[in-house]
Amino acid sequence: MPPPAPDPAPLPTTPRIGLLPAAGVSASAYLLFGLQLGGWGHGLLALSLLGALLVSRELAKDLLLIGLGITIVSTTSVKADVDWDRFFTIGTVLLLAVAVPLLVDRLVLRRRTIRFPWLSGRRWNRWQWGYIVAVPLLGWLLLPFYFITSGAYQNWPHITDAGELGRFLVGVNFVGTWDELFFICTCFALLRRHVGLWPANILQAIIFVSFLWELGYQEWGPLLTAPFALLQGWLFTRTGSLLYVLIVHLLFDVVVFLAIVHAHNPGMIPIFLV
């Protein structure tokens, strides 16, 4: 097993009370994306950032970067939609949610705290190759059952047009890539500097799952998305490779795409058990 990936920058000691404003930032995402309570969500976010400033300037800086991304995403609905206007609107908002915190980190705060370590410099071992194979297999077994029995597939549009199917596939992979850039390389990496591995992983998973809820993974979807979010954070820590966790995510998302199309069009993709 490879050693844990190093923190992105040297870290001054953060008091344990710093967990409270960090949790508040994550909870604000639940209010904004999960419950659609804009006023309460933004209010809690602002209060949490103020609390962070009272605890530690470094904590406040890092939570501000996360808060910027959350706020940008909250400016539009991310409910799944493949119409051209929503396709570009959602894409632009998600790009800004990654780019703005990165630019603020580099140009305003004069740091390199947010990083995207594509390669770890180490060969993949057997368990990593095994997980690469296991992920799409588990998706093939679980995802059709989830989407069909819960009815959650109806949160995605019924698509038969080839052009819309193409946009849907691109959109699924784009969002999957963005998930890793924002939730793992930004939220998780910044939180981990202050509250430790597993508290940071749980807090990023709350933001991750809240976003996916608005996207369409509703009903009992969090029973699938929460373990996936936690595993992605853990994998990133163990491998130190964005490329690895991204490949895992995109393989899973290919099965998501196929399962949703299958749920809307039974018999169109006869590879599933449900």
Side-chain angles (χ1 to χ4, degrees):
M1 183 75 69
D7 286 324
L11 176 68
T13 301
T14 301
R16 290 187 179 181
I17 196 173
L19 182 59
L20 291 177
V25 170
S26 292
S28 73
Y30 173 68
L31 294 177
L32 289 167
F33 307 138
L35 300 182
Q36 298 288 293
L37 297 175
W40 288 101
H42 290 122
L44 178 58
L45 178 58
L47 186 62
S48 300
L49 294 177
L50 177 61
L53 186 61
L54 298 175
V55 172
S56 160
R57 290 177 63 87
E58 284 298 308
L59 176 64
K61 291 175 183 178
D62 288 342
L63 293 186
L64 173 63
L65 297 178
I66 297 172
L68 284 172
I70 290 173
T71 300
I72 291 169
V73 175
S74 72
T75 61
T76 190
S77 169
V78 295
K79 181 175 173 59
D81 195 329
V82 296
D83 288 343
W84 278 114
D85 60 333
R86 296 303 302 157
F87 184 80
F88 284 113
T89 298
I90 295 173
T92 300
V93 166
L94 295 185
L95 283 174
L96 289 173
V98 169
V100 171
L102 177 65
L103 292 174
V104 170
D105 185 47
R106 297 288 195 276
L107 303 179
V108 179
L109 301 179
R110 301 292 183 179
R111 310 182 310 175
R112 296 185 61 84
T113 310
I114 297 176
R115 298 186 300 172
F116 305 109
W118 288 98
L119 297 172
S120 66
R122 300 187 295 267
R123 290 180 177 273
W124 292 358
N125 57 31
R126 290 183 179 179
W127 75 263
Q128 287 174 279
W129 282 109
Y131 191 70
I132 286 285
V133 174
V135 164
L137 179 60
L138 287 171
W140 174 74
L141 287 171
L142 297 175
L143 287 171
F145 178 79
Y146 158 63
F147 284 121
I148 293 173
T149 60
S150 71
Y153 73 92
Q154 297 179 61
N155 296 326
W156 281 262
H158 186 179
I159 302 171
T160 55
D161 176 76
E164 291 183 338
L165 282 172
R167 289 202 297 279
F168 181 31
L169 179 59
V170 170
V172 166
N173 284 276
F174 173 81
V175 172
T177 302
W178 179 85
D179 287 342
E180 301 305 322
L181 297 178
F182 184 66
F183 298 120
I184 301 302
C185 290
T186 302
C187 297
F188 174 58
L190 293 175
L191 288 165
R192 183 179 157 209
R193 300 181 71 224
H194 301 276
V195 300
L197 171 59
W198 280 107
N201 206 15
I202 292 169
L203 293 180
Q204 73 83 14
I206 291 171
I207 306 172
F208 201 152
V209 172
S210 299
F211 171 83
L212 291 179
W213 178 275
E214 183 179 355
L215 183 66
Y217 292 87
Q218 299 178 9
E219 308 305 329
W220 50 273
L223 295 179
L224 294 177
T225 56
F228 182 76
L230 292 169
L231 277 170
Q232 289 298 93
W234 181 81
L235 282 172
F236 182 68
T237 302
R238 302 311 301 175
T239 65
S241 171
L242 172 58
L243 179 63
Y244 182 79
V245 295
L246 183 58
I247 289 173
V248 168
H249 197 137
L250 295 185
L251 285 173
F252 191 77
D253 279 353
V254 168
V255 185
V256 168
F257 167 78
L258 295 174
I260 292 173
V261 173
H262 164 71
H264 277 294
N265 306 278
M268 183 176 178
I269 307 177
I271 62 171
F272 296 107
L273 301 178
V274 179

